[in-house]
Amino acid sequence: METTTTPLLPGRCGWLRRRLRLKNPLSSELSGAVGDLGTFIPIVLTLTLVSNLDLSATLIFTGFYNIATGLLFDIPMPVQPMKSIAAVAVSETPHLTPSQIAAAGASTAATLLLLGATGAMSFLYNIIPLPVVRGVQLSQGLQFAFTAIKYVRYDYDTATLKPSSSPRSWLGLDGLILALAALLFIILSTGSGTDRDCAGDGDFAESSSNETQSRHRRRLRFLSSIPSALIVFLVGLVLCFIRDPSIFKDLKFGPSKFKILKITWEDWKVGFVRAAIPQIPLSVLNSVIAVCKLSNDLFDKELSATTVSVSVGVMNLIGCWFGAMPVCHGAGGLAGQYRFGARSGLSVIFLGVGKLIVGLVFGNSFVRILSQFPIGILGVLLLFAGIELAMASKDMNTKEDSFIMLVCAAVSMTGSSAALGFGCGVVLYLLLKLRTLDSSSVALFSRSNDDSETASHVA
């Protein structure tokens, strides 16, 4: 296992060349770049329509974040919306204002920056039991998958992104057939999501001839080289214009004007109490600790919890003041990008460049395109991201570890709170260890008494 502490101020030219080196075919890296958009687009669209989020600032700042984190971490480190803040902003009444959303994001960022700078985050990373982390990952992955299936099955109001009671129709440019076709296409091209570089190796060891085995491997390598997620996303973009041709005349070229938000004391109070408090535990667990664990699982590269925590803090303490959406790193985004072929930081650098171009060319008018994007296709992308994240829990090989993980996941999903599940998982872990420790201590005490009695008889 490779253990690295990412340098914040690299000074070697070779460092940049290594960061810009492809670790997978270009088509796979490009496909992986859009693997997290099933989460990104719905939340950004909802915040823009409901809470007047500055879409142009969000695209430009998250584009810079993607480029910076791709260079810094040398893995496809995702830049995701802070989901708890977004949920509070659009689901509770009254809706949070842009200044209150910014205050919540900045408060969360300051907390993570403090935890990282003081070394407290590294301490938490080292003492939190792995089964508890796996339980949080499993619950997050399954919740993504459940949401994705709802995206596919039901019609959604694009203004609020809430499901209606009516099931999605089979036909149409956002129909069930389109979503199922995208699903089948991704399964046929990527299979179960195994490493594309090793596609087909060992799968046909019992083949009757080397020629047949070679033919099967060539076919799997060809299918795995197809940038399936990128193709599906581009099809979705084309369908946006077909569904509503008036988009062409509504687009305005050039970036929207930047403005610094005025955040009042009341905004700080409302943002912190209503949105930052539920977001902070989720960011600590899913944006830092789970990301570091998952990076070790997927890339055999253990990131510094301190660096990841500081990264989240710095990003938001800059962008939130300009009205950009509060963001973090997320294990679900990392799993989704890996699932579709991303293996290097260059993948998210491509994504960052794309966001910058869109934000600078179309500005806030790009929301007209996003509002027509087929929700069913986003559901398909989100489904694979959720399943990939949930599959990280497959290394729980003992019954005790699986028990802790499943209880943690069940509480997290039932209570809709990763923090609650985390707390229950830690308590359960300590109780099981105490039970073992107590038994061992009694046994050791008993053996000591027996030895003392034997010694006294011998004497």
Side-chain angles (χ1 to χ4, degrees):
M1 179 184 70
E2 176 190 353
T3 303
T4 60
T5 300
T6 308
L8 293 178
L9 294 174
R12 298 189 301 271
C13 293
W15 177 89
L16 184 59
R17 288 196 297 270
R18 288 194 299 271
R19 291 302 196 264
L20 298 177
R21 184 179 67 246
L22 284 171
K23 296 181 180 178
N24 232 13
L26 179 61
S27 60
S28 297
E29 297 286 1
L30 289 173
S31 182
V34 301
D36 186 34
L37 294 185
T39 302
F40 185 86
I41 291 179
I43 294 178
V44 170
L45 175 61
T46 306
L47 285 175
T48 302
L49 297 175
V50 176
S51 301
N52 297 315
L53 177 78
D54 191 329
L55 179 61
S56 178
T58 294
L59 290 173
I60 291 172
F61 275 98
T62 57
F64 277 122
Y65 300 157
N66 280 130
I67 295 171
T69 55
L71 291 172
L72 180 64
F73 295 105
D74 196 28
I75 64 170
M77 179 65 80
V79 175
Q80 291 187 311
M82 288 189 177
K83 299 176 186 64
S84 184
I85 292 178
V88 170
V90 301
S91 62
E92 294 186 3
T93 303
H95 298 313
L96 295 183
T97 66
S99 295
Q100 291 167 349
I101 294 173
S107 300
T108 305
T111 303
L112 265 65
L113 184 61
L114 180 63
L115 291 173
T118 58
M121 189 65 76
S122 292
F123 175 74
L124 291 174
Y125 176 77
N126 290 323
I127 67 169
I128 293 178
L130 182 60
V132 177
V133 178
R134 291 291 187 248
V136 173
Q137 290 175 319
L138 178 61
S139 66
Q140 289 287 305
L142 291 178
Q143 284 174 345
F144 281 177
F146 295 158
T147 301
I149 293 174
K150 291 178 182 177
Y151 281 177
V152 172
R153 288 190 60 194
Y154 298 101
D155 286 325
Y156 270 71
D157 180 2
T158 55
T160 61
L161 213 67
K162 291 183 178 180
S164 65
S165 58
S166 59
R168 187 177 299 281
S169 62
W170 284 91
L171 302 177
L173 297 179
D174 191 13
L176 195 57
I177 290 179
L178 175 68
L180 292 177
L183 178 68
L184 294 175
F185 172 65
I186 291 176
I187 292 176
L188 286 174
S189 58
T190 65
S192 60
T194 54
D195 196 327
R196 295 167 180 241
D197 295 333
C198 302
D201 290 350
D203 289 344
F204 301 96
E206 298 180 1
S207 180
S208 59
S209 69
N210 290 333
E211 182 181 353
T212 302
Q213 181 179 358
S214 177
R215 186 168 61 251
H216 282 308
R217 288 179 176 175
R218 284 196 302 269
R219 184 179 66 189
L220 286 183
R221 286 197 178 99
F222 169 75
L223 291 173
S224 297
S225 67
I226 298 174
S228 55
L230 180 62
I231 292 174
V232 168
F233 176 70
L234 293 177
V235 168
L237 281 181
V238 172
L239 291 176
C240 292
F241 294 93
I242 298 176
R243 296 179 71 191
D244 187 0
S246 65
I247 290 176
F248 287 102
K249 64 179 181 180
D250 292 336
L251 291 177
K252 298 178 181 179
F253 294 98
S256 301
K257 185 178 179 180
F258 276 109
K259 58 182 179 181
I260 298 178
L261 294 178
K262 295 180 180 180
I263 306 178
T264 65
W265 171 248
E266 183 67 18
D267 292 331
W268 285 108
K269 184 173 67 174
V270 171
F272 180 78
V273 173
R274 289 180 57 188
I277 289 178
Q279 178 64 52
I280 289 171
L282 181 62
S283 291
V284 170
L285 294 172
N286 192 53
S287 302
V288 180
I289 293 173
V291 164
C292 293
K293 297 286 188 184
L294 189 62
S295 172
N296 188 21
D297 297 335
L298 300 180
F299 303 97
D300 198 25
K301 182 174 184 177
E302 188 172 351
L303 298 178
S304 165
T306 295
T307 306
V308 176
S309 185
V310 170
S311 171
V312 176
V314 171
M315 287 191 303
N316 291 284
L317 288 179
I318 297 174
C320 284
W321 288 98
F322 293 90
M325 175 186 61
V327 294
C328 59
H329 306 306
L334 183 60
Q337 289 168 165
Y338 180 89
R339 175 63 173 77
F340 289 111
R343 296 295 183 271
S344 69
L346 197 57
S347 178
V348 289
I349 291 175
F350 291 141
L351 177 62
V353 171
K355 288 180 180 178
L356 282 175
I357 293 174
V358 171
L360 292 173
V361 173
F362 298 110
N364 285 325
S365 67
F366 191 70
V367 72
R368 285 286 289 112
I369 298 177
L370 292 185
S371 64
Q372 293 300 321
F373 200 96
I375 300 298
I377 286 182
L378 293 177
V380 170
L381 295 177
L382 182 59
L383 175 63
F384 286 98
I387 295 300
E388 187 69 30
L389 177 59
M391 287 179 66
S393 62
K394 66 182 182 296
D395 62 347
M396 295 290 97
N397 297 320
T398 68
K399 188 171 183 178
E400 179 178 304
D401 287 348
S402 298
F403 178 55
I404 296 170
M405 176 191 70
L406 292 174
V407 169
C408 178
V411 174
S412 296
M413 297 180 67
T414 304
S416 299
S417 171
L420 181 61
F422 167 77
C424 292
V426 170
V427 170
L428 179 59
Y429 176 85
L430 293 176
L431 286 175
L432 292 176
K433 291 302 177 185
L434 181 62
R435 178 175 178 270
T436 305
L437 178 65
D438 182 62
S439 301
S440 301
S441 300
V442 171
L444 179 62
F445 180 73
S446 300
R447 286 197 300 269
S448 298
N449 286 341
D450 291 342
D451 292 343
S452 299
E453 293 175 3
T454 302
S456 62
H457 288 310
V458 171

